């Protein structure tokens, strides 16, 4: 195979340093768009793996274990992707919204957590209500989504962890 001399991205960084500003900005924007499309494809793949229970066939107890141990995502990243996948399953229009950058994996996961809590508390969220929730969080930060969901029903919102300093005591 090809042998690299120096750091693996040396060639790429050399090319980047010589790009015109406008080209660099356009290229970066295109990459971000491509990344969002790949994220959505990953969510659909995870959904099909879940549907077929393929993680069991290769020795994992859950989709979560598969995403962490086989795909190498951190715990939080794996959880957010699975929650976003579940929202995408119940509201397929989320696909386009993630691709367009109107909703991200984190905010999609927040909505799914809310829906899950509603079910756990004996309620349900109709398809129409889920669609409205998704539309309401477009272009909002995770903090603003949290505020929106708290306004809907505070007991269904697990507030994001605040940073706490740990000492020996």
């Amino acid at each position: 195979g090809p042998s690299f001399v120096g750091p693996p991205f040396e060639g790429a960084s050399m090319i980047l340093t010589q790009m015109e500003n406008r080209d660099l900005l356009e290229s970066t924007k295109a990459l971000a768009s491509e990344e969002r499309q790949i994220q959505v494809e990953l969510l659909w793949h995870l959904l099909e793996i879940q549907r077929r229970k393929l993680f069991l066939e290769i020795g994992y107890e859950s989709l979560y274990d598969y995403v962490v141990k086989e795909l190498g995502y951190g715990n939080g990243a794996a959880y957010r992707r699975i929650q976003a996948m579940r929202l995408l399953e119940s509201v397929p229009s989320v696909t386009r919204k993630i691709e367009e950058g109107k909703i991200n994996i984190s905010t999609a996961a927040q909505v799914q957590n809310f829906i899950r809590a509603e079910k756990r508390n004996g309620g349900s969220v109709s398809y129409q209500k889920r669609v409205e929730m998704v539309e309401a969080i477009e272009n909002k930060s995770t903090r603003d989504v949290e505020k929106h969901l708290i306004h809907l029903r505070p007991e269904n919102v697990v507030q994001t962890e605040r940073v706490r300093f740990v000492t020996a005591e």
Side-chain angles (χ1 to χ4, degrees), residues 5 12 46 59 97 110 118 120 130 140 143 145 161:
V5 178
L46 293 177
K97 293 180 190 306
Q110 285 176 286
E118 182 69 15
R120 211 175 28 245
R130 290 192 304 267
K140 284 192 163 108
R143 177 72 72 214
V145 169
E161 317 99 48

Side-chain angles (χ1 to χ4, degrees), residues 33 89 148 157 166:
S33 175
E89 178 183 26
H148 172 72
V157 180
V166 179

